[in-house]
């Protein structure tokens, strides 16, 4: 068996000398939060995904919050979301004042099941949040079609999906608003960070004002002005800004994005080829018309002999980090207390049986072989 002595982490961000130098340059300039680097990062993301506007934020959670607010969503409204996602998706809905209505997922893609979305639409529904879970785009055409017929907003949670494609088009150009994350666990990172992309100028402007305390003049505009400019605060805003320190890292990460995606896909497909014949272990399904980012590599334990948690413990003994697949938000104590029991059989089954294994661009074939061999021997035990 291939022996890798080092502890194998779940991820290793691709940060190196370029990011280090970019940060030093920003710090030396003294302009760490005026927004020039933020604007350049926004431009890079907008042009990469094919959207007219991009607005950087402090996280994907705050991006989702702003996106919902500027769709006019608030108390009394319902927003359709999957439960099989990170808790932030539904928390953003609660922060807007609206109620998250949980809908079950498709058992092959782990993304929202459009037929169940349609059934969940009520007179109070104002928006749908499709999540591109683990980097696999949701069935966006079907969701947009439902939204159009019922007059609903679509705020796509593409936290793990920068660079993913749906029917040839990049995620970020397809929904009314799309939100990305640059947390350290995502495809590219700025430590923490987020972005809204949209073709709607009005919403982009509102988000830009809202993220920066509701100020009528941005810091960048003020610092570039030749005359004295005094801002006003006509609306209630937030401090949801990204700093230029983070954006300088983001600019470097964007230059590596295609390479990162290529490495992720190569490793993801290599896992699938190697794991496909292990009984009781199901590799991820990728529909033919989409491109996965493999933000994580998610397998499912399908035989009764091993629980997912036992497999995680056995992998840990081999010094391989794993994570439970994706959570079921409706089962968390806060949501149970507030909304009572909700039944989502597919979500519950997948939350119990899915498992993430290490995948990151600098992973070597020897490291990956060690994970593959370990999974194989754990599963045949
Ligand atoms: C990571 C993640 C988020 C939260 O992103 P942050 O940038 O950490 O706020 C939201 N939704 C999904 C699907 C995620 O994977």
């Amino acid at each position: 068996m291939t022996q890798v002595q080092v502890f194998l982490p779940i991820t290793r961000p691709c940060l190196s000398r370029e990011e280090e130098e970019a940060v030093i340059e920003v710090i030396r300039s003294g302009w760490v939060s005026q927004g020039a680097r933020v604007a350049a990062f926004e431009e890079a993301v907008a042009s990469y995904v094919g959207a007219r506007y991009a607005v950087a934020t402090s996280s994907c959670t705050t991006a989702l919050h702003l996106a919902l607010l500027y769709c006019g969503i608030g108390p009394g409204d319902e927003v359709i979301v999957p439960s099989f996602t990170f808790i932030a998706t539904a928390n953003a809905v609660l922060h807007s004042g609206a109620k998250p209505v949980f809908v079950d997922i498709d058992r092959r893609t782990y993304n929202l099941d459009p037929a169940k979305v349609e059934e969940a639409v009520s007179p109070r529904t104002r928006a749908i949040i499709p999540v591109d879970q683990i980097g696999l785009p949701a069935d966006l055409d079907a969701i947009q079609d439902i939204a159009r017929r019922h007059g609903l907003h679509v705020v796509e949670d593409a936290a793990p999906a920068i660079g993913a494609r749906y029917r040839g088009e990049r995620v970020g150009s397809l929904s009314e608003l799309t939100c990305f994350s640059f947390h350290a666990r995502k495809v590219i990172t700025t430590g923490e960070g987020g972005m809204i992309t949209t073709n709607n100028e009005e919403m982009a402007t509102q988000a830009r004002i809202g993220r920066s305390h509701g100020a009528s003049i941005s810091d960048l505009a003020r610092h570039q002005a030749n005359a004295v400019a005094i801002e006003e605060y006509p609306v209630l805003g937030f401090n949801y800004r990204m700093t230029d320190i983070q954006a300088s890292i983001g600019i470097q990460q964007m230059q590596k994005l295609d390479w990162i995606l290529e490495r992720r896909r190569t490793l993801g497909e290599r896992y699938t080829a190697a794991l496909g014949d292990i009984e009781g272990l199901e590799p991820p399904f990728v529909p033919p018309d989409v491109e996965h980012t493999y933000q994580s590599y998610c397998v499912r334990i399908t035989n009764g002999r091993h629980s997912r948690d036992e497999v995680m413990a056995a992998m840990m003994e081999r010094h391989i980090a794993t994570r439970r697949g994706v959570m079921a938000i409706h089962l968390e104590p806060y949501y149970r207390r507030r909304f009572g029991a909700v039944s989502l059989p597919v979500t519950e089954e997948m939350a119990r049986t899915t498992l993430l294994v290490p995948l990151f661009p600098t992973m070597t074939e020897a490291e990956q072989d060690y994970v593959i061999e370990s999974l194989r021997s754990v599963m045949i035990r």
Side-chain angles (χ1 to χ4, degrees), residues 59-61 85-86 88-89 131 133 157 159-160 181 183 186 192-193:
S59 70
C60 182
T61 310
T85 175
F86 185 57
T89 312
V131 178
Q133 199 49 264
D157 180 348
S181 172
H183 179 264
K186 311 299 177 175
E192 294 273 7

Side-chain angles (χ1 to χ4, degrees), residues 306-324:
H306 306 86
S307 77
R308 185 269 316 270
D309 297 0
E310 280 163 18
V311 175
M312 288 179 76
M315 295 294 276
M316 184 58 89
E317 276 171 30
R318 290 157 184 269
H319 305 288
I320 298 170
T322 59
R323 296 285 184 275
R324 68 167 170 174

Side-chain angles (χ1 to χ4, degrees), residues 270-271 274-275 278 315 320 365 367-377:
R270 193 167 179 272
Y271 261 140
L275 299 174
I278 300 180
M315 295 294 276
I320 298 170
E365 287 199 353
E367 287 174 327
Q368 191 178 31
D369 288 341
Y370 180 59
V371 178
I372 292 164
E373 286 160 22
S374 297
L375 273 174
R376 190 179 295 280
S377 67

Side-chain angles (χ1 to χ4, degrees), residues 83-84 102-107 116 300 328 330-331 342-353:
S83 167
F84 191 76
F102 294 116
V103 165
D104 217 344
I105 51 169
D106 179 285
R107 49 183 315 121
K116 292 175 189 156
R300 203 159 80 76
H330 72 287
L331 298 180
V342 176
S343 169
L344 299 166
V346 183
T347 295
E348 286 160 28
E349 182 186 345
M350 301 310 160
R352 222 172 26 241
T353 55

Side-chain angles (χ1 to χ4, degrees), residues 20-189:
E20 207 176 307
E21 284 170 0
V23 168
I24 290 168
E25 202 183 310
V26 172
I27 292 171
R28 288 207 176 131
S29 77
W31 304 99
V32 296
S33 65
Q34 263 64 38
R37 297 291 198 301
V38 170
F41 182 35
E42 289 171 340
E43 221 174 282
V45 172
S47 87
Y48 186 86
V49 305
R52 237 173 267 151
Y53 309 100
V55 181
T57 55
S58 52
S59 70
C60 182
T61 310
T62 56
L64 287 166
H65 186 196
L66 293 178
L68 291 168
L69 287 182
Y70 301 129
C71 286
I73 287 159
D77 297 334
E78 291 179 357
V79 177
I80 291 173
V81 295
S83 167
F84 191 76
T85 175
F86 185 57
I87 197 157
T89 312
N91 284 353
V93 176
L94 289 181
H95 289 311
S96 79
K99 180 187 174 195
V101 173
F102 294 116
V103 165
D104 217 344
I105 51 169
D106 179 285
R107 49 183 315 121
R108 292 214 294 174
T109 62
Y110 308 147
N111 281 325
L112 273 181
D113 180 338
K116 292 175 189 156
V117 170
E118 181 96 51
E119 285 168 23
V121 174
S122 86
R124 288 176 176 272
T125 309
R126 296 286 312 281
I128 306 170
I129 306 185
V131 178
D132 305 321
Q133 199 49 264
I134 321 171
L136 185 78
D139 192 350
L140 295 168
D141 281 351
I143 305 259
Q144 311 284 10
D145 178 57
I146 296 166
R148 250 190 312 274
R149 281 189 284 106
H150 296 276
L152 309 175
H153 294 283
V154 176
V155 177
E156 187 178 341
D157 180 348
I162 193 162
R165 283 181 195 269
Y166 177 80
R167 302 192 171 155
E169 307 289 329
R170 284 223 174 91
V171 158
S173 63
L174 297 159
S175 296
E176 190 179 3
L177 295 142
T178 305
C179 300
F180 294 101
S181 172
F182 306 117
H183 179 264
R185 275 285 280 131
K186 311 299 177 175
V187 175
I188 57 170
T189 186

